[in-house]
Amino acid sequence: MNSTDLSVLKAAVDWLNNGHSVAIATVVQTWGSAPRPVGSWLAIRGDGQVMGSVSGGCVEDDLIRRVQSDILTRSTPEMVVYGVSQQEAARFGLPCGGTLRLLVEPKPEVQVLEAILHSVSHHQITSRTVQLSNGKSELEPGSRTDSFLCNEVFMKTSYGPRWRMVIIGAGQLSLYTADFALASDFEVIVIDPREEYAEGIDRDQVQFIKGMPDDVLLEIGVDSHTAVVALTHDPKLDDMALMEALKSPAFYVGALGSRVNTQKRKSRLLDFDVTQEQVNQLHGPVGLHIGALTPPEMAISILAEVIAVKYGVSIPKKN
């Protein structure tokens, strides 16, 4: 779940608990060049207040009108389609003849939304199945491999925690990496025990933790939505963190260092409680090879590699 959809969830829970009528619209299908992906949320309050987006602004005004004048009076979900014809696509500003299909729930269950918010806050994945005949939802544990599904009977979708990047070290490269990670909608945590970095990274949105990286990783819990990037260039700190990260479900683990140093690090890790298969998961030297020389360029290469792994894009082998 990205930060936008998480904001929608929090707003919907708050509005419902304060007695407002609320409808939730979910993108269930797109054709052509639709601005928002399947699963995107929009919460609409009875007075027209909105949180989130389903089209980047193309259809929201019309959807608010429909919700206020008709949909909120209903008790079951309604399917709304925009851009069936080229003329309608042009009318609503959908690019390239794009078409958007939305499921609008006029009576979302606040207890269900609160349960989803609780699981997301605790870095768990929850699957929700909504029956289109009555709007009732059922929750069960989900996984990253779950697929979005919507047919004439039900909609099934999964909600997980925000993607998270844990950076080991609070140096200059970490600063730029944190900035690009925030811009890419990652939650960012920086860990460094060194006194000279005790002030941490001066970023309101970045959580700085002063402590031994391996201990902190165990404390915060590394899940399948977490990337761990070791950037201190100090084996005493990086290697200890990598030992825990490689044994965790982290979707990405990378470390700064030359090719020679990376091979030495992998050999050292094998002397500890790390298997060959786990060591093979280490991305090093960290980042895509783009000829990066400066800290900002290196940070871009790191984020590019992390994002590629996140979406399952093939990465050229590093010799």
Side-chain angles (χ1 to χ4, degrees), residues 79-143:
M79 200 68 70
V80 178
V81 181
Y82 289 101
V84 173
S85 65
Q86 287 287 344
Q87 292 78 11
E88 189 176 26
R91 174 190 167 199
F92 291 111
L94 291 167
C96 305
T99 302
L100 198 60
R101 189 166 172 239
L102 310 171
L103 181 69
V104 184
E105 300 170 67
K107 299 291 188 295
E109 302 163 276
V110 67
Q111 295 86 354
V112 170
L113 299 183
E114 287 175 333
I116 295 172
L117 182 58
H118 180 270
S119 68
V120 169
S121 301
H122 288 77
H123 296 279
Q124 299 169 347
I125 303 174
T126 296
S127 176
R128 178 173 75 116
T129 301
V130 183
Q131 299 299 325
L132 273 59
S133 60
N134 57 22
K136 298 298 182 182
S137 297
E138 295 181 359
L139 300 180
E140 61 182 358
S143 71

Side-chain angles (χ1 to χ4, degrees), residues 200-218:
I201 291 182
D202 185 19
R203 291 291 187 275
D204 291 338
Q205 298 180 65
V206 175
Q207 180 183 2
F208 176 75
I209 302 176
K210 183 185 176 184
M212 290 303 296
D214 53 328
D215 293 335
V216 176
L217 287 178
L218 291 173

Side-chain angles (χ1 to χ4, degrees), residues 25-272:
T26 304
V27 177
V28 300
Q29 196 171 15
T30 64
W31 295 268
S33 182
R36 294 282 284 150
V38 166
S40 298
W41 275 17
L42 171 70
I44 303 172
R45 208 164 70 182
D47 60 2
Q49 180 71 35
V50 299
M51 179 64 73
S53 173
V54 290
S55 75
C58 301
V59 306
E60 275 77 359
D61 286 346
D62 184 77
L63 183 60
I64 292 169
R65 180 189 59 78
R66 289 197 193 191
V67 166
Q68 289 181 304
S69 64
D70 180 36
I71 296 177
L72 276 176
T73 65
R74 302 178 180 231
S75 59
T76 58
E78 178 169 336
M79 200 68 70
V80 178
V81 181
Y82 289 101
V84 173
S85 65
Q86 287 287 344
Q87 292 78 11
E88 189 176 26
R91 174 190 167 199
F92 291 111
L94 291 167
C96 305
T99 302
L100 198 60
R101 189 166 172 239
L102 310 171
L103 181 69
V104 184
E105 300 170 67
K107 299 291 188 295
E109 302 163 276
V110 67
Q111 295 86 354
V112 170
L113 299 183
E114 287 175 333
I116 295 172
L117 182 58
H118 180 270
S119 68
V120 169
S121 301
H122 288 77
H123 296 279
Q124 299 169 347
I125 303 174
T126 296
S127 176
R128 178 173 75 116
T129 301
V130 183
Q131 299 299 325
L132 273 59
S133 60
N134 57 22
K136 298 298 182 182
S137 297
E138 295 181 359
L139 300 180
E140 61 182 358
S143 71
R144 284 185 63 205
T145 59
D146 292 342
S147 299
F148 183 92
L149 178 62
C150 185
N151 54 35
E152 295 179 354
V153 178
F154 63 87
M155 177 183 73
K156 185 174 183 178
T157 187
S158 293
Y159 310 94
R162 283 183 65 186
W163 295 92
R164 178 172 58 170
M165 178 175 288
V166 178
I167 301 172
I168 311 302
Q172 187 184 38
L173 176 56
S174 297
L175 176 65
Y176 285 108
T177 304
D179 284 340
F180 287 120
L182 289 172
S184 302
D185 204 35
F186 283 84
E187 174 189 352
V188 180
I189 299 173
V190 176
I191 306 170
D192 201 315
R194 297 171 294 182
E195 286 298 330
E196 58 268 37
Y197 295 101
E199 295 300 320
I201 291 182
D202 185 19
R203 291 291 187 275
D204 291 338
Q205 298 180 65
V206 175
Q207 180 183 2
F208 176 75
I209 302 176
K210 183 185 176 184
M212 290 303 296
D214 53 328
D215 293 335
V216 176
L217 287 178
L218 291 173
E219 290 171 7
I220 65 175
V222 176
D223 61 14
S224 59
H225 282 70
T226 303
V228 179
V229 184
L231 301 179
T232 72
H233 221 308
D234 182 345
K236 295 189 299 296
L237 299 177
D238 285 348
D239 288 5
M240 296 300 291
L242 294 171
M243 284 173 54
E244 298 301 335
L246 290 168
K247 291 185 288 183
S248 77
F251 77 91
Y252 176 95
V253 180
L256 184 67
S258 67
R259 287 177 172 80
V260 172
N261 286 336
T262 296
Q263 291 305 315
K264 291 180 179 178
R265 174 181 286 117
K266 289 182 175 181
S267 296
R268 289 196 303 271
L269 290 170
L270 288 172
D271 292 333
F272 297 94

